[in-house]
Amino acid sequence: MKLWFARVAGVSASQMLMVAVAWQMYDLTNSAWDLGLVGLLQFAPSLLLTLPAGHLIDRLHRGRLLATCMAVQALCALALAGASAQGVATREALLAVSIVLGAVRAFQMPTQQALTPLLVPREVLPRALAFSSVGLQGAVIGAPALGGLLYALGAGVTYFVCTGLFAVAAALCLWLRYAHSAASSEPATWHTLLAGVRHVWHHKVVLGAISLDLFAVLFGGATALLPIFAKDILHVGPWGLGLLRSAPAVGALAMSLALTRWPVRRRTGHTLLAAVAVFGLAMLVFGLSTSFMLSMAALAVSGAADMVSVVIRQTLVQLETPDEMRGRVSAVNSVFIGASNQLGEFESGATAALMGPVGSVLLGGVGTLVVAALWLRLFPALAQRDALVQAGTAEPGGRARA
């Protein structure tokens, strides 16, 4: 439960931070390109640090490493709070912080993924991941809305609250206890650094699942454009932006609760592909909508569909990877996630600069539907996957002590 509370606090802080950074950037520059650039600068360091991050995660105490990631983000939020309070926050400062956040998340995301199987038995991992998502999606619902309301009092207020939440998350991570195996003495070579890449490449079900998520969200995501939709199309202020950012999490939370009660057991591949197709359709509706309520509903449906994809993908990755390689495989997985999110934000901003925000979202929705159809043919092992949890999958390397 310590990890659960730490992740809820960390996700809440991160969501509020992104609302504040996005709105402040658009307020300063009024540029879709700069909104996309924030995502690109978060993705680039994640890509560069993937291999060394995975190697370190498999060698170091994962709880302490996660605490360090939270602490660094607390310092970033504190720096932005000070700059905003003094009226010296600039486009360059926001972009510089984006680079640091990207570097930190190269370690944070795979560390979190590699920790979870050490704390729960293998047979309940799908439900544990769904239960974890309940808390996380609750944070994603409430935190952006709260961040938007706090931003009305000043950007510095939002950043100060983020600082406190990151500090709480760091403290909780330091208290994590689990059966930590001794660090391997295996030297860092290209062979060991690329072990996670080789594992993913040779397991086509895992490769298909994470690459499907990559391209679906890369094309279909519209997070970076929400400030434009909120301000120029739906005509709502920061509070409306916060609600729009929360809407996908409302659907994801409802789906998390459903998956906790009724986990996916059979027809895994078809369920995954269908969820991605629904995500694409929801984004088409969002792109065409000029109603705030319809836009909220479309985003909620997209969040519910995405949650099905997330739970299936995370379960496949964790159960079919030996513990001694989970850090490296999770690092590879995090690159795919980062590419779909941060690089997807850049893609949205760039296409919006050329085609307008509506054209960008519509193109992305169509692209997502095409990806779902292609993956049905390109990855037959994934499409034909029946049982989610199969006999003979990798066992977690340890159990929680507290």
Side-chain angles (χ1 to χ4, degrees):
M1 289 302 292
K2 293 186 184 75
L3 178 61
W4 188 85
F5 282 115
R7 293 190 67 185
V8 169
V11 168
S12 298
S14 180
Q15 290 295 314
M16 294 171 64
L17 187 64
M18 288 301 97
V19 167
V21 167
W23 191 270
Q24 192 170 33
M25 178 63 81
Y26 195 58
D27 211 24
L28 288 170
T29 68
N30 201 38
S31 168
W33 172 264
D34 284 334
L35 287 175
L37 196 57
V38 169
L40 177 64
L41 292 181
Q42 289 186 48
F43 170 70
S46 297
L47 179 62
L48 294 174
L49 293 172
T50 296
L51 297 180
H55 186 76
L56 285 175
I57 292 165
D58 282 334
R59 294 171 64 91
L60 303 179
H61 189 285
R62 293 168 185 170
R64 294 169 190 162
L65 184 56
L66 186 56
T68 301
C69 294
M70 297 295 184
V72 172
Q73 290 176 93
L75 293 176
C76 289
L78 184 60
L80 288 177
S84 299
Q86 296 174 20
V88 296
T90 64
R91 169 184 179 272
E92 289 70 26
L94 294 174
L95 294 178
V97 168
S98 297
I99 294 174
V100 176
L101 292 176
V104 169
R105 287 169 188 171
F107 293 86
Q108 178 183 337
M109 292 180 62
T111 302
Q112 290 174 166
Q113 294 170 18
L115 258 175
T116 303
L118 299 177
L119 305 177
V120 297
R122 179 179 70 90
E123 60 273 10
V124 300
L125 183 59
R127 288 193 177 190
L129 290 173
F131 174 72
S132 175
S133 295
V134 170
L136 299 183
Q137 296 306 323
V140 175
I141 292 171
L146 178 59
L149 291 173
L150 291 174
Y151 193 92
L153 301 176
V157 175
T158 306
Y159 293 135
F160 272 122
V161 174
C162 292
T163 301
L165 287 172
F166 278 129
V168 169
L172 288 171
C173 290
L174 286 175
W175 292 343
L176 285 175
R177 298 292 183 271
Y178 65 93
H180 172 61
S181 57
S184 170
S185 58
E186 188 178 18
T189 64
W190 279 111
H191 180 80
T192 59
L193 290 175
L194 292 172
V197 176
R198 288 196 303 273
H199 180 86
V200 171
W201 180 257
H202 291 298
H203 289 74
K204 299 305 181 184
V205 170
V206 175
L207 176 62
I210 63 178
S211 60
L212 175 65
D213 180 83
L214 162 66
F215 287 104
V217 181
L218 175 64
F219 293 135
T223 302
L225 303 181
L226 291 183
I228 302 176
F229 275 86
K231 187 175 182 179
D232 300 334
I233 296 176
L234 302 174
H235 307 294
V236 293
W239 65 271
L241 173 61
L243 292 177
L244 287 173
R245 286 190 66 105
S246 298
V250 173
L253 176 60
M255 185 57 69
S256 297
L257 292 170
L259 292 174
T260 301
R261 178 64 180 85
W262 301 288
V264 176
R265 299 186 187 278
R266 310 306 296 263
R267 296 180 59 82
T268 299
H270 287 120
T271 301
L272 176 60
L273 292 168
V276 171
V278 170
F279 178 85
L281 290 172
M283 296 316 299
L284 288 176
V285 173
F286 174 75
L288 293 171
S289 171
T290 56
S291 163
F292 182 64
M293 296 305 297
L294 179 59
S295 297
M296 291 270 290
L299 290 174
V301 172
S302 75
D306 187 51
M307 179 49 55
V308 175
S309 172
V310 167
V311 170
I312 292 176
R313 172 175 48 78
Q314 288 185 350
T315 302
L316 289 173
V317 171
Q318 298 302 332
L319 289 184
E320 302 202 2
T321 304
D323 178 60
E324 63 272 12
M325 288 184 59
R326 277 203 178 97
R328 283 165 286 182
V329 171
S330 294
V332 174
N333 185 35
S334 72
V335 169
F336 281 78
I337 297 172
S340 64
N341 292 326
Q342 280 77 49
L343 194 57
E345 290 180 12
F346 175 71
E347 180 271 337
S348 296
T351 55
L354 295 174
M355 306 172 56
V358 174
S360 174
V361 172
L362 294 180
L363 180 64
V366 172
T368 300
L369 293 175
V370 171
V371 166
L374 284 176
W375 258 238
L376 183 65
R377 298 293 300 274
L378 294 176
F379 293 92
L382 174 63
Q384 297 165 13
R385 176 74 175 235
D386 186 21
L388 179 57
V389 180
Q390 295 182 328
T393 52
E395 290 283 349
R399 292 288 182 265
R401 290 202 299 262

